[in-house]
Amino acid sequence: MRIDRDKFGTLPDGRVIDLITLRNRAGITLRVITFGGIIVSLSTPDRAGDFDDIVLGFDTLAGYLGESPYFGAIIGRVGNRIANGRFVLDAVEYHLATNNGPNHLHGGIRGFDKVVWEARTFERDDAAGVVLTYTSPDGEEGYPGRLDAAVTYTLNDRGELVVDYSATTDAPTVVNLTQHSYFNLGHAGSDVLAHELTIDADAIVAVDATLIPTGALMPVQGTPFDFRVATPIGARIDADHPQLQLAGGYDHTYVLGAQTRTPRRAAFVRAPSSGRTLEVETTEPGVQLYTGNFLDGSIRGEGGVAYPHRGGFCLETQHFPDAPNQPAFPSIVLRPGDRYESRTIFRFDATSD
Ligand code: GLA
């Protein structure tokens, strides 16, 4: 029995939110809810074989309805920022919510992290999964066109969580979906600064004071952004670098290259305290490294644990921020008849040292 389905909670409007539990042969357990497609927990073994939850989250639906900083959620229609909440597509100007200073962030006031998804589970010989679907009506959060979106989480016996995204539309629109899990491969309640991180990228998308791309791709060579060789996340996080100061740490898109048909490695993380490792592969052109700079100990998550400053890290695979206003960036425009498709693989393991 690899799959369970239970009730997680009830929304104020009476809709019931389900909890889907997926297990692999090794005992890795993924728990997902139909609200926001949120991964509420992910339990993996450390070097001694002891299981622990490696994502930040809440015990109850109330936590996610409160001030959750996108813990574990699907982000859409457009992840990351759109400058001043406006863009032009086919000579029509569209206006979106400005929910992050002057800018639009993570799909708006009620993005895909706050909607109820339909869930259909499936089981294979070597895997269990859930297909989440949501139809975003034309004009929702200001975006044009109806968008039929599907996100599939597959947990297989190779220790991989495969996330497949797809979407179609009935009118030209923009789409850039991602997954906003905060990982802590060590111990929840501690920071992730000792985690050793590798990112296979030569450049980042440089940003301005409101974290909107300047248009420049900044080479990482010789900067605190260079993670081409495994380096502790905290080794240079407070360095005197303007890009770090603007974001209060790492909150930047790393440039992986052109979109690919099959996933290639983007990042690798290892927690020396537990031996746990996480490898991220993706078809996307970028990955946003966010080091929980806005966490400050005020949010209490599972078991009442306070999540400290930099108590988790996110590796959000995606197209670049503000793509609709940056003609040189890979396009996120989706047209009727075309299909948006994207795959990211999170691979979990532990080293003996
Ligand atoms: C993304 C953004 C960050 C922040 C987090 C959630 O990573 O880039 O600035 O909004 O989401 O707090």
Side-chain angles (χ1 to χ4, degrees):
M1 288 287 109
R2 292 171 174 276
I3 303 175
D4 285 320
R5 187 163 181 154
D6 308 282
K7 177 181 169 182
F8 187 66
T10 306
L11 291 176
D13 66 12
R15 281 180 296 171
V16 170
I17 300 302
D18 282 358
L19 168 71
I20 291 129
T21 303
L22 308 177
R23 270 180 301 274
N24 84 347
R25 202 172 46 195
I28 294 180
T29 305
L30 177 76
R31 294 163 73 238
V32 176
I33 58 173
T34 50
F35 181 76
I38 293 171
I39 294 174
V40 298
S41 74
L42 176 53
S43 177
T44 73
D46 67 6
R47 64 162 70 82
D50 292 332
F51 283 81
D52 213 345
D53 187 6
I54 60 162
V55 294
L56 308 193
F58 299 105
D59 292 318
T60 63
L61 184 58
Y64 292 104
L65 299 179
E67 290 295 294
S68 173
Y70 306 98
F71 282 159
I74 296 169
I75 305 296
R77 295 189 187 187
V78 175
N80 219 309
R81 292 173 178 76
I82 295 177
N84 303 309
R86 68 164 287 285
F87 67 97
V88 175
L89 176 59
D90 296 345
V92 181
E93 182 166 311
Y94 295 96
H95 292 271
L96 310 170
T98 49
N99 56 328
N100 185 251
N103 303 318
H104 177 81
L105 178 69
H106 292 338
I109 313 264
R110 192 168 146 278
F112 286 7
D113 58 300
K114 296 184 186 69
V115 302
V116 180
W117 295 69
E118 296 288 323
R120 180 175 59 77
T121 59
F122 62 90
E123 203 165 333
R124 297 199 307 247
D125 279 354
D126 66 338
V130 57
V131 185
L132 299 164
T133 53
Y134 174 68
T135 295
S136 175
D138 178 26
E140 188 176 42
E141 292 293 325
Y143 289 104
R146 160 183 150 157
L147 192 79
D148 288 294
V151 178
T152 304
Y153 295 127
T154 307
L155 180 66
N156 66 37
D157 286 338
R158 295 184 299 284
E160 296 171 345
L161 166 61
V162 182
V163 186
D164 285 301
Y165 305 86
S166 73
T168 54
T169 184
D170 66 356
T173 191
V174 286
V175 56
N176 184 28
L177 305 180
T178 190
Q179 222 293 330
H180 208 300
S181 284
Y182 289 64
F183 295 97
N184 186 325
L185 307 179
H187 204 75
S190 57
D191 67 49
V192 294
L193 298 178
H195 284 47
E196 296 157 358
L197 171 65
T198 309
I199 304 181
D200 301 323
D202 298 332
I204 61 160
V205 176
V207 292
D208 69 13
T210 65
L211 305 188
I212 290 295
T214 61
L217 303 183
M218 186 196 88
V220 298
Q221 174 76 41
T223 76
F225 288 86
D226 193 346
F227 282 101
R228 291 174 297 179
V229 171
T231 308
I233 288 175
R236 303 158 303 182
I237 198 168
D238 292 318
D240 185 17
H241 189 284
Q243 286 293 314
L244 283 174
Q245 280 152 8
L246 289 172
Y250 299 103
D251 195 350
H252 296 79
T253 304
Y254 279 76
V255 178
L256 301 172
Q259 188 165 8
T260 53
R261 286 187 64 81
T262 52
R264 78 320 208 167
R265 197 176 89 148
F268 183 81
V269 192
R270 178 179 170 273
S273 64
S274 69
R276 283 196 190 85
T277 61
L278 164 62
E279 188 169 29
V280 181
E281 294 181 359
T282 188
T283 58
E284 283 297 297
V287 60
Q288 179 92 359
L289 169 64
Y290 172 59
T291 49
N293 310 308
F294 297 125
L295 298 177
D296 60 6
S298 60
I299 296 178
R300 284 188 184 277
E302 279 153 27
V305 172
Y307 294 137
H309 190 217
R310 297 169 179 163
F313 67 89
C314 305
L315 287 166
E316 304 155 54
T317 54
Q318 56 187 259
H319 276 56
F320 303 168
D322 201 28
N325 294 308
Q326 296 275 353
F329 288 179
S331 171
I332 62 166
V333 173
L334 180 68
R335 295 186 181 279
D338 291 343
R339 176 177 291 271
Y340 165 90
E341 276 182 319
S342 170
R343 169 175 280 193
T344 292
I345 301 174
F346 298 97
R347 184 176 298 113
F348 307 101
D349 208 343
T351 57
S352 53
D353 57 327

